[in-house]
Tab-separated table of all heavy atoms in Angstrom:
chain	number	residue	atom	x	y	z
A	1	ALA	N	219.458	16.547	151.081
A	1	ALA	CA	218.004	16.231	150.954
A	1	ALA	C	217.546	16.361	149.527
A	1	ALA	O	216.728	15.550	149.067
A	1	ALA	CB	217.224	17.231	151.849
A	2	ALA	N	217.952	17.378	148.739
A	2	ALA	CA	217.558	17.553	147.394
A	2	ALA	C	218.034	16.473	146.546
A	2	ALA	O	217.338	16.004	145.591
A	2	ALA	CB	218.128	18.934	146.870
A	3	SER	N	219.253	15.941	146.785
A	3	SER	CA	219.799	14.833	145.970
A	3	SER	C	218.874	13.541	146.249
A	3	SER	O	218.595	12.890	145.259
A	3	SER	CB	221.173	14.458	146.457
A	3	SER	OG	222.036	15.564	146.102
A	4	GLY	N	218.522	13.298	147.411
A	4	GLY	CA	217.696	12.199	147.739
A	4	GLY	C	216.231	12.334	147.143
A	4	GLY	O	215.728	11.332	146.571
A	5	LEU	N	215.755	13.504	147.249
A	5	LEU	CA	214.365	13.822	146.705
A	5	LEU	C	214.432	13.637	145.216
A	5	LEU	O	213.469	13.063	144.651
A	5	LEU	CB	213.947	15.168	147.132
A	5	LEU	CG	212.501	15.583	146.731
A	5	LEU	CD1	211.514	14.597	147.232
A	5	LEU	CD2	212.170	16.948	147.125
A	6	THR	N	215.435	14.151	144.565
A	6	THR	CA	215.562	14.051	143.094
A	6	THR	C	215.581	12.583	142.692
A	6	THR	O	214.898	12.255	141.690
A	6	THR	CB	216.770	14.768	142.663
A	6	THR	OG1	216.747	16.163	142.967
A	6	THR	CG2	217.001	14.694	141.167
A	7	ALA	N	216.373	11.839	143.351
A	7	ALA	CA	216.458	10.405	143.076
A	7	ALA	C	215.038	9.744	143.162
A	7	ALA	O	214.736	8.796	142.396
A	7	ALA	CB	217.491	9.717	143.955
A	8	MET	N	214.306	10.113	144.151
A	8	MET	CA	212.982	9.507	144.344
A	8	MET	C	211.999	9.913	143.327
A	8	MET	O	211.117	9.159	142.927
A	8	MET	CB	212.427	9.898	145.751
A	8	MET	CG	213.187	9.309	146.902
A	8	MET	SD	212.656	10.023	148.480
A	8	MET	CE	210.914	9.563	148.428
A	9	LEU	N	212.152	11.175	142.770
A	9	LEU	CA	211.165	11.738	141.816
A	9	LEU	C	211.486	11.417	140.386
A	9	LEU	O	210.604	11.487	139.480
A	9	LEU	CB	211.044	13.307	141.991
A	9	LEU	CG	210.522	13.793	143.373
A	9	LEU	CD1	210.589	15.278	143.344
A	9	LEU	CD2	209.080	13.255	143.571
A	10	LEU	N	212.732	11.114	140.134
A	10	LEU	CA	213.121	10.924	138.711
A	10	LEU	C	212.371	9.816	137.971
A	10	LEU	O	211.898	10.020	136.900
A	10	LEU	CB	214.585	10.624	138.624
A	10	LEU	CG	215.613	11.845	138.588
A	10	LEU	CD1	217.013	11.343	138.530
A	10	LEU	CD2	215.319	12.664	137.405
A	11	GLU	N	212.226	8.681	138.633
A	11	GLU	CA	211.498	7.610	138.008
A	11	GLU	C	210.093	7.840	137.728
A	11	GLU	O	209.547	7.641	136.601
A	11	GLU	CB	211.772	6.275	138.774
A	11	GLU	CG	211.176	5.051	138.094
A	11	GLU	CD	211.560	3.810	138.794
A	11	GLU	OE1	212.356	3.824	139.683
A	11	GLU	OE2	210.973	2.716	138.375
A	12	PRO	N	209.328	8.305	138.731
A	12	PRO	CA	207.859	8.565	138.447
A	12	PRO	C	207.603	9.812	137.650
A	12	PRO	O	206.574	9.817	136.952
A	12	PRO	CB	207.218	8.717	139.861
A	12	PRO	CG	208.332	9.085	140.748
A	12	PRO	CD	209.650	8.447	140.207
A	13	LEU	N	208.377	10.816	137.758
A	13	LEU	CA	208.090	12.063	137.111
A	13	LEU	C	208.926	12.393	135.882
A	13	LEU	O	208.563	13.122	134.978
A	13	LEU	CB	208.155	13.265	138.155
A	13	LEU	CG	207.235	13.240	139.340
A	13	LEU	CD1	207.460	14.458	140.167
A	13	LEU	CD2	205.783	13.144	138.908
A	14	GLY	N	210.203	11.890	135.903
A	14	GLY	CA	211.122	12.289	134.852
A	14	GLY	C	211.874	13.610	135.263
A	14	GLY	O	211.307	14.337	136.076
A	15	TRP	N	212.988	13.862	134.605
A	15	TRP	CA	213.662	15.024	135.000
A	15	TRP	C	213.005	16.359	134.669
A	15	TRP	O	213.161	17.339	135.349
A	15	TRP	CB	215.124	14.973	134.431
A	15	TRP	CG	215.192	15.132	132.931
A	15	TRP	CD1	215.145	14.128	132.023
A	15	TRP	CD2	215.424	16.293	132.234
A	15	TRP	NE1	215.298	14.625	130.732
A	15	TRP	CE2	215.504	16.016	130.864
A	15	TRP	CE3	215.610	17.704	132.541
A	15	TRP	CZ2	215.677	16.930	129.817
A	15	TRP	CZ3	215.846	18.604	131.595
A	15	TRP	CH2	215.867	18.224	130.247
A	16	ARG	N	212.266	16.396	133.627
A	16	ARG	CA	211.607	17.619	133.190
A	16	ARG	C	210.546	18.047	134.144
A	16	ARG	O	210.474	19.174	134.665
A	16	ARG	CB	210.984	17.430	131.811
A	16	ARG	CG	212.089	17.122	130.713
A	16	ARG	CD	211.384	16.944	129.311
A	16	ARG	NE	212.321	16.549	128.356
A	16	ARG	CZ	213.075	17.299	127.618
A	16	ARG	NH1	213.005	18.584	127.769
A	16	ARG	NH2	213.927	16.786	126.658
A	17	MET	N	209.690	17.102	134.525
A	17	MET	CA	208.640	17.420	135.492
A	17	MET	C	209.161	17.691	136.837
A	17	MET	O	208.653	18.590	137.605
A	17	MET	CB	207.646	16.250	135.504
A	17	MET	CG	206.447	16.532	136.539
A	17	MET	SD	205.400	17.890	135.925
A	17	MET	CE	204.561	17.162	134.591
A	18	THR	N	210.225	17.007	137.192
A	18	THR	CA	210.836	17.276	138.556
A	18	THR	C	211.313	18.707	138.575
A	18	THR	O	211.244	19.454	139.587
A	18	THR	CB	212.038	16.307	138.774
A	18	THR	OG1	211.491	14.990	138.759
A	18	THR	CG2	212.708	16.547	140.131
A	19	LEU	N	212.050	19.179	137.477
A	19	LEU	CA	212.501	20.588	137.457
A	19	LEU	C	211.360	21.518	137.598
A	19	LEU	O	211.435	22.551	138.320
A	19	LEU	CB	213.150	20.870	136.085
A	19	LEU	CG	214.744	20.712	136.047
A	19	LEU	CD1	215.226	21.082	134.657
A	19	LEU	CD2	215.324	21.711	137.093
A	20	GLN	N	210.243	21.249	136.879
A	20	GLN	CA	209.044	22.064	137.057
A	20	GLN	C	208.434	22.147	138.389
A	20	GLN	O	208.006	23.212	138.849
A	20	GLN	CB	208.023	21.639	136.002
A	20	GLN	CG	208.467	21.857	134.564
A	20	GLN	CD	207.700	21.088	133.537
A	20	GLN	OE1	206.572	20.543	133.848
A	20	GLN	NE2	208.111	21.016	132.337
A	21	CYS	N	208.431	21.027	139.102
A	21	CYS	CA	208.005	20.970	140.494
A	21	CYS	C	208.904	21.849	141.359
A	21	CYS	O	208.406	22.600	142.248
A	21	CYS	CB	207.979	19.557	140.992
A	21	CYS	SG	206.606	18.509	140.278
A	22	TYR	N	210.255	21.808	141.137
A	22	TYR	CA	211.101	22.564	141.941
A	22	TYR	C	210.932	24.112	141.615
A	22	TYR	O	211.106	24.938	142.507
A	22	TYR	CB	212.602	22.235	141.631
A	22	TYR	CG	213.029	20.919	142.286
A	22	TYR	CD1	214.174	20.255	141.792
A	22	TYR	CD2	212.281	20.324	143.228
A	22	TYR	CE1	214.617	19.065	142.279
A	22	TYR	CE2	212.715	19.074	143.853
A	22	TYR	CZ	213.875	18.478	143.359
A	22	TYR	OH	214.293	17.275	143.900
A	23	SER	N	210.572	24.375	140.431
A	23	SER	CA	210.328	25.762	140.087
A	23	SER	C	209.003	26.286	140.781
A	23	SER	O	209.080	27.465	141.301
A	23	SER	CB	210.053	25.882	138.597
A	23	SER	OG	211.103	25.466	137.810
A	24	VAL	N	208.020	25.499	140.948
A	24	VAL	CA	206.811	25.862	141.638
A	24	VAL	C	207.186	26.167	143.156
A	24	VAL	O	206.772	27.098	143.790
A	24	VAL	CB	205.732	24.865	141.551
A	24	VAL	CG1	204.554	25.165	142.518
A	24	VAL	CG2	205.218	24.727	140.075
A	25	ALA	N	208.026	25.254	143.731
A	25	ALA	CA	208.478	25.393	145.088
A	25	ALA	C	209.216	26.730	145.269
A	25	ALA	O	209.066	27.422	146.189
A	25	ALA	CB	209.342	24.200	145.496
A	26	GLY	N	210.012	27.100	144.262
A	26	GLY	CA	210.791	28.336	144.344
A	26	GLY	C	209.801	29.565	144.336
A	26	GLY	O	210.012	30.528	145.080
A	27	LEU	N	208.766	29.460	143.577
A	27	LEU	CA	207.853	30.616	143.471
A	27	LEU	C	207.004	30.715	144.839
A	27	LEU	O	206.786	31.848	145.264
A	27	LEU	CB	206.863	30.392	142.309
A	27	LEU	CG	207.538	30.540	140.899
A	27	LEU	CD1	206.526	30.221	139.784
A	27	LEU	CD2	208.021	31.980	140.721
A	28	VAL	N	206.621	29.595	145.334
A	28	VAL	CA	205.955	29.640	146.623
A	28	VAL	C	206.834	30.211	147.712
A	28	VAL	O	206.422	31.041	148.546
A	28	VAL	CB	205.524	28.198	147.035
A	28	VAL	CG1	204.970	28.118	148.386
A	28	VAL	CG2	204.453	27.671	146.044
A	29	TRP	N	208.099	29.744	147.707
A	29	TRP	CA	209.029	30.278	148.686
A	29	TRP	C	209.222	31.804	148.596
A	29	TRP	O	209.243	32.505	149.632
A	29	TRP	CB	210.422	29.605	148.497
A	29	TRP	CG	211.447	30.180	149.492
A	29	TRP	CD1	211.688	29.724	150.764
A	29	TRP	CD2	212.302	31.332	149.277
A	29	TRP	NE1	212.624	30.519	151.365
A	29	TRP	CE2	213.049	31.490	150.453
A	29	TRP	CE3	212.522	32.111	148.199
A	29	TRP	CZ2	214.000	32.522	150.563
A	29	TRP	CZ3	213.419	33.182	148.305
A	29	TRP	CH2	214.222	33.360	149.501
A	30	SER	N	209.281	32.264	147.366
A	30	SER	CA	209.490	33.730	147.195
A	30	SER	C	208.314	34.513	147.606
A	30	SER	O	208.484	35.657	148.194
A	30	SER	CB	209.753	34.022	145.577
A	30	SER	OG	208.599	33.801	144.847
A	31	ALA	N	207.109	33.997	147.503
A	31	ALA	CA	205.897	34.670	148.011
A	31	ALA	C	205.931	34.718	149.502
A	31	ALA	O	205.596	35.778	150.149
A	31	ALA	CB	204.639	33.967	147.453
A	32	ILE	N	206.263	33.626	150.153
A	32	ILE	CA	206.331	33.543	151.628
A	32	ILE	C	207.399	34.469	152.151
A	32	ILE	O	207.205	35.271	153.133
A	32	ILE	CB	206.643	32.124	152.088
A	32	ILE	CG1	205.376	31.240	151.750
A	32	ILE	CG2	206.822	32.092	153.547
A	32	ILE	CD1	205.663	29.732	151.988
A	33	PHE	N	208.560	34.504	151.494
A	33	PHE	CA	209.722	35.303	151.902
A	33	PHE	C	209.279	36.805	151.799
A	33	PHE	O	209.603	37.637	152.709
A	33	PHE	CB	210.890	35.024	151.051
A	33	PHE	CG	212.137	35.858	151.442
A	33	PHE	CD1	212.891	35.386	152.520
A	33	PHE	CD2	212.534	36.962	150.715
A	33	PHE	CE1	214.090	36.088	152.917
A	33	PHE	CE2	213.668	37.668	151.124
A	33	PHE	CZ	214.425	37.198	152.255
A	34	TRP	N	208.704	37.235	150.693
A	34	TRP	CA	208.246	38.583	150.473
A	34	TRP	C	207.247	39.019	151.611
A	34	TRP	O	207.396	40.193	152.198
A	34	TRP	CB	207.597	38.780	149.178
A	34	TRP	CG	207.002	40.190	148.913
A	34	TRP	CD1	205.723	40.566	149.087
A	34	TRP	CD2	207.792	41.314	148.571
A	34	TRP	NE1	205.629	41.922	148.801
A	34	TRP	CE2	206.912	42.434	148.454
A	34	TRP	CE3	209.138	41.536	148.232
A	34	TRP	CZ2	207.322	43.676	148.095
A	34	TRP	CZ3	209.556	42.751	147.848
A	34	TRP	CH2	208.592	43.859	147.817
A	35	ARG	N	206.424	38.173	152.086
A	35	ARG	CA	205.471	38.558	153.043
A	35	ARG	C	206.066	38.661	154.465
A	35	ARG	O	205.697	39.464	155.271
A	35	ARG	CB	204.288	37.546	153.013
A	35	ARG	CG	203.146	37.866	154.026
A	35	ARG	CD	202.030	36.899	153.911
A	35	ARG	NE	200.949	37.170	154.900
A	35	ARG	CZ	200.083	38.141	154.822
A	35	ARG	NH1	200.058	38.956	153.808
A	35	ARG	NH2	199.155	38.319	155.765
A	36	TRP	N	207.004	37.716	154.702
A	36	TRP	CA	207.507	37.607	156.070
A	36	TRP	C	208.753	38.425	156.322
A	36	TRP	O	208.891	39.022	157.436
A	36	TRP	CB	207.855	36.097	156.318
A	36	TRP	CG	208.639	35.868	157.514
A	36	TRP	CD1	208.211	35.841	158.857
A	36	TRP	CD2	210.046	35.584	157.640
A	36	TRP	NE1	209.234	35.566	159.700
A	36	TRP	CE2	210.380	35.404	158.967
A	36	TRP	CE3	211.058	35.367	156.686
A	36	TRP	CZ2	211.665	35.100	159.383
A	36	TRP	CZ3	212.353	35.114	157.058
A	36	TRP	CH2	212.584	34.987	158.441
A	37	PHE	N	209.679	38.490	155.348
A	37	PHE	CA	211.026	39.071	155.669
A	37	PHE	C	210.980	40.635	155.539
A	37	PHE	O	210.233	41.155	154.730
A	37	PHE	CB	212.096	38.550	154.651
A	37	PHE	CG	213.392	38.986	154.905
A	37	PHE	CD1	214.234	38.555	155.989
A	37	PHE	CD2	213.987	40.014	154.143
A	37	PHE	CE1	215.463	39.002	156.262
A	37	PHE	CE2	215.336	40.527	154.320
A	37	PHE	CZ	216.051	39.987	155.428
A	38	ARG	N	211.869	41.351	156.246
A	38	ARG	CA	212.097	42.731	156.127
A	38	ARG	C	213.567	42.934	156.111
A	38	ARG	O	214.349	42.224	156.758
A	38	ARG	CB	211.456	43.558	157.274
A	38	ARG	CG	209.957	43.427	157.336
A	38	ARG	CD	209.249	44.099	156.090
A	38	ARG	NE	207.861	44.072	156.135
A	38	ARG	CZ	207.090	43.103	155.657
A	38	ARG	NH1	207.687	42.056	155.082
A	38	ARG	NH2	205.776	43.184	155.713
A	39	ASP	N	213.996	43.986	155.425
A	39	ASP	CA	215.481	44.246	155.248
A	39	ASP	C	216.132	44.607	156.541
A	39	ASP	O	217.356	44.317	156.714
A	39	ASP	CB	215.670	45.298	154.190
A	39	ASP	CG	215.412	44.833	152.779
A	39	ASP	OD1	215.756	43.663	152.520
A	39	ASP	OD2	214.834	45.629	151.964
A	40	SER	N	215.473	45.269	157.441
A	40	SER	CA	216.004	45.708	158.706
A	40	SER	C	215.095	45.227	159.833
A	40	SER	O	213.928	45.191	159.709
A	40	SER	CB	216.094	47.266	158.699
A	40	SER	OG	216.482	47.749	159.969
A	41	PRO	N	215.735	44.944	161.007
A	41	PRO	CA	214.982	44.525	162.163
A	41	PRO	C	213.949	45.599	162.581
A	41	PRO	O	212.928	45.326	163.157
A	41	PRO	CB	216.016	44.315	163.259
A	41	PRO	CG	217.240	43.941	162.485
A	41	PRO	CD	217.216	44.729	161.232
A	42	SER	N	214.367	46.928	162.309
A	42	SER	CA	213.464	47.994	162.716
A	42	SER	C	212.264	48.037	161.870
A	42	SER	O	211.183	48.667	162.284
A	42	SER	CB	214.158	49.334	162.565
A	42	SER	OG	214.599	49.596	161.190
A	43	GLU	N	212.176	47.330	160.812
A	43	GLU	CA	210.992	47.293	159.923
A	43	GLU	C	210.053	46.152	160.282
A	43	GLU	O	208.990	46.143	159.692
A	43	GLU	CB	211.426	47.179	158.394
A	43	GLU	CG	212.232	48.371	157.930
A	43	GLU	CD	212.794	48.091	156.574
A	43	GLU	OE1	212.474	47.119	155.928
A	43	GLU	OE2	213.592	49.008	156.005
A	44	HIS	N	210.492	45.220	161.076
A	44	HIS	CA	209.745	44.060	161.400
A	44	HIS	C	208.975	44.259	162.636
A	44	HIS	O	209.481	44.533	163.773
A	44	HIS	CB	210.656	42.859	161.477
A	44	HIS	CG	209.998	41.533	161.191
A	44	HIS	ND1	208.954	41.038	161.863
A	44	HIS	CD2	210.166	40.650	160.163
A	44	HIS	CE1	208.463	39.846	161.420
A	44	HIS	NE2	209.241	39.629	160.335
A	45	LEU	N	207.671	44.076	162.594
A	45	LEU	CA	206.792	44.351	163.709
A	45	LEU	C	207.028	43.393	164.919
A	45	LEU	O	206.723	43.693	166.009
A	45	LEU	CB	205.301	44.342	163.369
A	45	LEU	CG	204.886	45.353	162.272
A	45	LEU	CD1	203.476	45.146	161.919
A	45	LEU	CD2	205.098	46.764	162.824
A	46	ARG	N	207.554	42.168	164.694
A	46	ARG	CA	207.706	41.187	165.665
A	46	ARG	C	209.063	41.255	166.393
A	46	ARG	O	209.306	40.415	167.279
A	46	ARG	CB	207.470	39.824	165.066
A	46	ARG	CG	206.088	39.597	164.545
A	46	ARG	CD	205.801	38.066	164.344
A	46	ARG	NE	204.482	37.897	163.935
A	46	ARG	CZ	203.902	36.667	163.699
A	46	ARG	NH1	204.608	35.569	163.953
A	46	ARG	NH2	202.631	36.578	163.305
A	47	VAL	N	209.904	42.244	166.092
A	47	VAL	CA	211.159	42.387	166.718
A	47	VAL	C	210.944	43.356	167.864
A	47	VAL	O	210.698	44.474	167.669
A	47	VAL	CB	212.235	42.919	165.745
A	47	VAL	CG1	213.650	43.114	166.507
A	47	VAL	CG2	212.471	41.925	164.613
A	48	ASN	N	211.217	42.944	169.108
A	48	ASN	CA	211.006	43.815	170.298
A	48	ASN	C	212.222	44.585	170.616
A	48	ASN	O	213.275	44.405	170.050
A	48	ASN	CB	210.528	42.952	171.515
A	48	ASN	CG	211.524	41.863	171.902
A	48	ASN	OD1	212.716	42.093	171.925
A	48	ASN	ND2	211.007	40.701	172.187
């Protein structure tokens, strides 16, 4: 999927801007992961 997306973005954005967009996606993912994930099932409130 990333190979296809990169090919689509290269022409309109260029490789530099495409890298920066991927960087933003990484930061967004890390924030979501920090809020949602727990190291142990016993720490997660949604594990019954």
